[in-house]
């Protein structure tokens, strides 16, 4: 607090100069939480009032306690005198939203040492990355806090009631800032634009959390029970359902926003995924049984078809996006080319802008084989499924990914009910995902 207020506690103390109007970036990365500060009927009486800006205090943890008023100065003001600490035994290790609010306003307000003719309000940018950090910024949403000429731009890593992801928005923001400056486009980018692209990057890089929730909410039993063959992998270790959901979520956050005012995801790929599964476009099944894994010609060489699973009657199910998946997976491997070219069966190369879409090839996946559509349902998995074998799968990856684990058979009221993937993922983001936020007093954020 002394650093932000420009109060030196020693000759070598480094503080924000109080007599300067230069911009300040204020960032905190730590643990965060909140506690009630008000009870029905007053202190010690009744139930705790539900959390709100008026009845709770949000705070950030520090590894060391803040110093108290100096001994011998009984009238000295302590930095916690005006904070509702609610009897927290370790409150001197906590930095409260009330204190942050005063520090930010003090930073942005004109210096008392400035002449009246040159008094300017300092631009302040803040990033608070901790659990429940949205609660630390709630004061900015009150009408009384709005000052159009106060250049405050504040960001948080999650909502006031939600835990943040480790690293999370902190890494996404600074990575996007670095890339923006490297491109030399800082002068054409303001803080609001930077926040929007950093938010999309955050969701793109942390989609595994939403993926886990979506896989818990929905599955296709017919695909779940099938053991798919891929060269170089143990039978059953690669799950097309997992790969399709991953690709659809990636596409949702890589697509260009619909407008400058709409920074949300594009769920078109997820909608197409469900449609392809239910109409038989995502999978084909051979019309005749065979003891051997199906093959086809690739550049004159007979090779086994990737992404196939045998049914109990001997027929084979073919995943119609296997070649796109192999092209995506291997094209990013240095010094190697895809085992199978990323092109349709008729030799038409896949256009660049199609690589971000889910390309289910339908009957073109293996035209030399007699196949027919294999329609499957997408349902809630929480229910009793007979004769279920629990199998755990693993995927190697350079970053965290959702565990590719088949859900256990349990009893639940949703078992077997059809699931709308788009509506389900919207509820997941609304109810379970940490969403970064921003508030600002300044009407026109300054360029970087």
């Amino acid at each position: 607090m002394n650093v932000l207020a420009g109060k030196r506690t020693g000759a070598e103390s480094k503080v924000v100069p109080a007599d300067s109007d230069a911009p300040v970036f204020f960032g905190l990365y730590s643990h965060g939480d909140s506690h009630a500060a008000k009870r029905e009927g007053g202190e010690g009486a009744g139930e705790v009032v539900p959390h709100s800006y008026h009845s709770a205090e949000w705070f950030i943890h520090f590894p060391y306690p803040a110093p108290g008023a100096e001994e011998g100065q009984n009238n000295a003001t302590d930095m916690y005198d005006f904070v509702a600490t609610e009897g927290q035994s370790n409150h001197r290790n906590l930095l409260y939203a009330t204190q942050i609010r005063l520090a930010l306003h003090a930073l942005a307000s004109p210096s008392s040492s400035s002449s009246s003719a040159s008094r300017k309000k300092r631009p302040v940018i803040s990033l608070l990355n901790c659990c429940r950090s949205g609660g630390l910024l709630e004061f900015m949403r009150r009408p009384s806090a709005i000052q159009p000429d106060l250049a405050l731009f504040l960001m948080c890593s999650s909502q006031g009631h939600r835990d943040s992801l480790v690293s999370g928005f902190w890494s996404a923001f600074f990575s996007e800032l670095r890339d923006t400056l490297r491109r030399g486009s800082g002068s054409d980018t303001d803080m609001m634009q930077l926040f929007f692209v950093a938010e999309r990057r955050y969701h793109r890089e942390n989609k595994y959390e939403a993926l886990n929730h979506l896989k818990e909410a929905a599955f296709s039993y017919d695909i779940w029970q099938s053991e798919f063959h891929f060269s170089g992998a143990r039978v059953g270790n690669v799950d097309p359902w997992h790969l399709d959901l991953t690709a659809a979520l990636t596409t949702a956050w890589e697509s260009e926003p619909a407008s400058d005012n709409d920074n949300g995801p594009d769920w078109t790929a997820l909608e197409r995924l469900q449609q392809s599964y239910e109409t038989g476009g995502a999978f084909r099944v051979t019309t005749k049984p065979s003891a051997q894994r199906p093959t086809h010609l690739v550049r004159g060489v007979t090779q086994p078809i990737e992404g196939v699973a045998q049914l109990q009657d001997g027929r084979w199910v073919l995943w119609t996006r296997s070649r796109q998946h192999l092209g995506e997976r291997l094209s990013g491997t240095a010094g190697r080319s895809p085992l199978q070219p990323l092109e349709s069966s008729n030799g038409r190369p896949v256009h660049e802008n199609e690589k971000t879409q889910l390309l289910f090839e339908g009957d073109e996946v293996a035209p030399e084989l007699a196949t027919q559509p294999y329609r499957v349902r997408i349902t809630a998995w929480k229910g009793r499924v007979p004769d279920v074998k629990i199998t755990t799968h693993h995927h190697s990856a350079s970053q965290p990914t959702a565990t590719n684990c088949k859900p256990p058979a349990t009893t639940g009221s949703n078992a077997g009910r059809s699931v709308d993937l788009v509506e389900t993922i919207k509820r997941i983001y609304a109810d379970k995902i940490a969403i970064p936020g921003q508030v600002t007093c300044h009407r026109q954020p300054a360029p970087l």
Side-chain angles (χ1 to χ4, degrees):
M1 295 296 290
N2 287 334
V3 171
L4 295 177
K7 298 179 179 179
R8 297 184 183 276
T9 57
E12 301 299 325
S13 298
K14 293 183 178 181
V15 300
V16 176
D19 57 353
S20 171
D21 56 15
V24 170
F25 182 93
F26 171 53
L28 279 174
Y29 184 103
S30 185
H31 298 288
D33 208 336
S34 62
H35 65 67
K38 185 178 181 181
R39 296 178 181 272
E40 294 286 359
E43 184 176 355
E47 298 295 327
V48 174
V49 176
H51 269 28
S52 74
Y53 179 79
H54 300 284
S55 62
E57 278 281 1
W58 279 261
F59 54 82
I60 297 177
H61 289 270
F62 269 67
Y64 47 83
E70 296 181 11
E71 294 183 7
Q73 298 181 8
N74 296 328
N75 61 345
T77 300
D78 186 85
M79 63 184 294
Y80 290 92
D81 284 347
F82 52 87
V83 181
T85 59
E86 206 249 343
Q88 296 285 314
S89 59
N90 65 333
H91 70 269
R92 303 203 73 87
N93 284 73
L94 309 178
L95 180 63
Y96 282 86
T98 300
Q99 298 166 314
I100 294 175
R101 172 173 58 86
L102 294 179
L104 291 173
H105 276 280
L107 275 173
S109 297
S111 167
S112 59
S113 61
S114 302
S115 64
S116 57
S118 62
R119 293 181 70 179
K120 294 176 60 178
K121 295 190 176 183
R122 181 204 307 270
V124 177
I125 300 170
S126 177
L127 172 55
L128 305 177
N129 198 109
C130 62
C131 294
R132 304 192 175 193
S133 53
L136 298 164
L137 306 187
E138 276 301 307
F139 74 93
M140 286 284 287
R141 305 186 190 280
R142 303 179 68 185
S144 59
I146 300 300
Q147 301 179 40
D149 61 339
L150 189 63
L152 279 176
F153 190 91
L154 313 181
M155 297 171 286
C156 59
S157 58
S158 63
Q159 306 93 313
H161 59 285
R162 184 85 63 222
D163 290 344
S164 296
L165 295 179
V166 176
S167 176
F169 189 61
W170 184 274
S171 294
F173 176 81
F174 284 108
S175 295
E176 199 61 47
L177 175 61
R178 175 201 61 203
D179 293 347
T180 299
L181 296 177
R182 282 180 176 176
R183 290 193 300 267
S185 55
S187 60
D188 300 324
T189 306
D190 61 33
M191 280 305 305
M192 190 71 75
Q193 293 169 329
L194 178 62
F195 172 82
F196 282 153
V197 293
E199 183 186 18
R200 292 184 71 84
R201 183 173 190 147
Y202 161 83
H203 286 299
R204 188 168 62 249
E205 293 179 349
N206 295 283
K207 61 182 178 293
Y208 62 90
E209 186 185 26
L211 177 60
N212 278 337
H213 287 300
L214 187 55
K215 289 176 65 178
E216 184 181 5
F219 83 135
S220 171
Y221 177 68
D222 295 308
I223 303 306
W224 176 83
Q225 68 175 348
S226 301
E227 303 290 334
F228 281 83
H229 296 245
F230 285 86
S231 298
R234 184 176 299 175
V235 175
N237 266 26
V238 181
D239 178 15
W241 172 244
H242 171 86
L243 297 174
D244 284 339
L245 287 182
T246 302
L249 291 182
T250 300
T251 300
W253 292 106
E254 286 185 345
S255 303
E256 289 294 326
S259 67
D260 293 338
N261 298 323
D262 182 9
N263 193 46
D266 180 357
W267 298 123
T268 303
L270 193 62
E271 184 178 12
R272 184 183 180 191
L273 184 157
Q274 179 151 13
Q275 182 183 33
S276 298
Y277 270 60
E278 294 176 347
T279 61
F283 298 93
R284 305 282 296 183
V285 61
T286 57
T287 57
K288 297 180 180 180
S290 172
Q292 302 298 321
R293 176 176 170 181
T295 61
H296 62 167
L297 289 176
V298 178
R299 298 178 180 176
V301 179
T302 300
Q303 292 187 6
I305 297 178
E306 304 295 341
V308 297
Q310 191 169 33
L311 300 177
Q312 291 184 354
D313 62 6
R315 294 180 301 158
W316 289 83
V317 174
L318 283 64
W319 180 38
T320 67
R321 208 178 64 82
S322 61
R323 293 200 294 181
Q324 184 190 32
H325 164 65
L326 288 171
E328 290 171 348
R329 179 168 61 88
L330 296 178
S331 61
T333 306
R336 298 182 63 185
S337 59
L339 293 175
Q340 294 171 301
L342 189 61
E343 58 183 27
S344 64
S345 297
N346 60 14
R348 180 185 66 83
V350 174
H351 194 272
E352 186 67 28
N353 61 11
E354 292 180 337
K355 293 181 181 180
T356 60
Q357 303 298 321
L358 272 66
L359 300 180
F360 293 107
E361 295 186 83
D363 58 1
E364 291 187 0
V365 68
E368 61 272 29
L369 292 179
T371 63
Q372 60 189 26
Y374 187 66
R375 298 176 177 86
V376 296
R377 293 182 63 214
I378 296 176
T379 62
W381 68 261
K382 289 186 176 180
R384 187 173 298 282
V385 181
D387 301 324
V388 171
K389 179 179 67 174
I390 305 302
T391 306
T392 301
H393 304 275
H394 302 282
H395 286 281
S396 60
S398 58
Q399 61 181 16
T401 59
T403 177
N404 190 14
C405 179
K406 294 183 177 180
T410 58
T411 300
S413 60
N414 290 329
R417 293 186 179 181
S418 296
V419 172
D420 185 309
L421 291 179
V422 173
E423 292 303 316
T424 301
I425 195 65
K426 287 180 178 179
R427 287 196 298 271
I428 288 171
Y429 272 95
D431 299 337
K432 298 181 179 181
I433 304 299
I435 308 294
Q438 57 78 29
V439 289
T440 181
C441 278
H442 205 48
R443 292 175 179 171
Q444 296 182 343
L448 298 178

